[in-house]
Amino acid sequence: MIGNILTVGQQVFILFLLMIVGWALGKLKMIDDASYAGITNLALYLIIPCTMIQSFQFTFSKRMLLSFFLCGGISLAAHLSYFFLSRLFVRSKDQGDKKVLVMLAMFANCNFMGIPLLVSVLGKEGVFYGSAYAVVNPVLIWTLGQIYMSGSKSGTEIRKALVNPSTIGILIGLFLFITGLSLPKVVNTCIGYLAGMAVPLPMLLVGYMLCNLDLRKMLKDIRLWQGISLRIVFFPVLTLLILYLVGIRGDMLTAITIEAACPGATLIVLLSSKYKCNDKLAAALCSVSTIFSVLTMPVIVGIAQNLA
């Protein structure tokens, strides 16, 4: 087991070094808010969808297709469990703060943190299984998450829930997988080159996000530790335990655990601002959970690999 933890730890440490590069580029003003927004769009709308498409480049197998939908069902059940448990456990007198804490405990940054680690640890088969989690995550953010934060069903944006870059990439990949069609070699090579940026680019962005934080002040907020402990410790460990007990093994177990162990989703920071919740608390929780996930993810994922 120690060997698995060290192996995953090495991969996570590489991601951490990439984060440090992003942090340094921000401090040196080589990345600013404008370039951050542009690079974010590049990663979200092109790089990650290309990674999703490439992850489905397998010969069709009914077993793998059923496994994909099984992962989707597990991911949905996990998210709903996180929602009810976090509402039960989170304590805050301010309802706006509670909404932020619940949402960031529930939703993981499974694209920017999960996909690079899936690529590093499991390769494209891991991304294949983990992409089911990556479909459920944004759909629930734009539906259940938006209803909860806004307090009104009229604020939901169903189209955004269903039509987003990750979902489109997965649908294209799934179509190619089921039909057995192959992309032209030149196109497939181009997608491969773009997908190759799925590891470094998101990590540079996460590093930039951390460069202007007053970490010492943040760590004194007890509410922060409520959300962090649920997001990167309690929920991933609970998910791993339940999956193991019901008989899930192999890359599926590891892939879902990797996604579940990721830090808080950055999209919740934007929704917090939109619905006049505590967006500073959201940014702090997202950022600090990202830092501490460097320590927790190797242990949790290493245990998952050992059990798989």
Side-chain angles (χ1 to χ4, degrees):
M1 184 174 70
I2 297 299
N4 287 330
I5 292 174
L6 291 175
T7 299
V8 177
Q10 184 179 35
Q11 297 300 327
V12 174
F13 185 66
I14 291 171
L15 300 184
F16 178 73
L17 291 178
L18 290 169
M19 287 168 53
I20 293 298
V21 173
W23 175 85
L25 291 174
K27 288 295 185 182
L28 294 170
K29 308 300 181 184
M30 296 177 70
I31 297 179
D32 55 18
D33 288 346
S35 56
Y36 171 79
I39 298 171
T40 298
N41 287 334
L42 177 64
L44 283 176
Y45 291 97
L46 184 62
I47 305 305
I48 289 175
C50 283
T51 307
M52 300 298 189
I53 293 171
Q54 193 180 53
S55 71
F56 283 84
Q57 299 299 300
F58 293 100
T59 302
F60 177 77
S61 161
K62 187 176 180 180
R63 178 191 64 80
M64 289 193 70
L65 182 62
L66 291 175
S67 295
F68 176 82
F69 287 116
L70 175 61
C71 284
I74 291 171
S75 301
L76 177 61
H79 278 86
L80 294 178
S81 299
Y82 301 160
F83 179 64
F84 291 113
L85 288 172
S86 57
R87 290 184 70 187
L88 179 65
F89 292 146
V90 168
R91 293 285 181 266
S92 178
K93 293 180 181 179
D94 186 292
Q95 285 303 304
D97 289 359
K98 181 169 182 176
K99 288 178 180 180
V100 168
L101 293 166
V102 168
M103 288 293 94
L104 277 161
M106 178 181 177
F107 293 112
N109 197 1
C110 57
N111 277 330
F112 273 19
M113 284 292 288
I115 297 303
L117 190 55
L118 284 168
V119 172
S120 300
V121 176
L122 298 175
K124 67 178 184 178
E125 188 164 348
V127 179
F128 177 87
Y129 292 126
S131 62
Y133 196 104
V135 170
V136 171
N137 192 275
V139 168
L140 287 180
I141 286 177
W142 288 111
T143 50
L144 176 60
Q146 198 162 201
I147 289 171
Y148 180 65
M149 295 198 79
S150 66
S152 171
K153 292 183 181 180
S154 63
T156 60
E157 300 179 42
I158 305 300
R159 182 183 62 82
K160 286 186 177 181
L162 299 175
V163 184
N164 62 76
S166 295
T167 303
I168 292 171
I170 289 167
L171 288 176
I172 293 171
L174 195 58
F175 173 77
L176 295 173
F177 175 68
I178 292 173
T179 60
L181 296 175
S182 299
L183 293 171
K185 186 177 180 180
V186 174
V187 175
N188 200 41
T189 301
C190 180
I191 289 175
Y193 284 144
L194 291 169
M197 291 189 281
V199 175
L201 211 57
M203 291 300 98
L204 294 179
L205 294 172
V206 172
Y208 173 77
M209 185 178 70
L210 300 174
C211 75
N212 293 315
L213 298 177
D214 185 349
L215 187 59
R216 188 178 304 172
K217 182 178 179 181
M218 288 177 186
L219 296 180
K220 295 178 182 179
D221 191 338
I222 190 66
R223 298 170 304 172
L224 201 70
W225 295 106
Q226 290 182 19
I228 289 174
S229 59
L230 288 173
R231 170 84 302 279
I232 64 174
V233 179
F234 181 72
F235 286 154
V237 170
L238 179 65
T239 302
L240 172 58
L241 178 62
I242 292 175
L243 291 180
Y244 181 78
L245 291 176
V246 299
I248 303 298
R249 298 290 188 275
D251 285 350
M252 187 188 298
L253 175 67
T254 306
I256 295 175
T257 302
I258 286 174
E259 295 284 49
C262 288
T266 52
L267 183 54
I268 302 301
V269 181
L270 303 180
L271 289 180
S272 299
S273 177
K274 179 178 180 180
Y275 293 115
K276 304 297 186 292
C277 296
N278 191 337
D279 56 343
K280 291 183 178 179
L281 176 63
L285 200 155
C286 181
S287 302
V288 177
S289 67
T290 299
I291 294 170
F292 281 93
S293 69
V294 174
L295 302 175
T296 58
M297 288 184 79
V299 177
I300 296 171
V301 178
I303 292 172
Q305 284 196 304
N306 189 66
L307 295 175

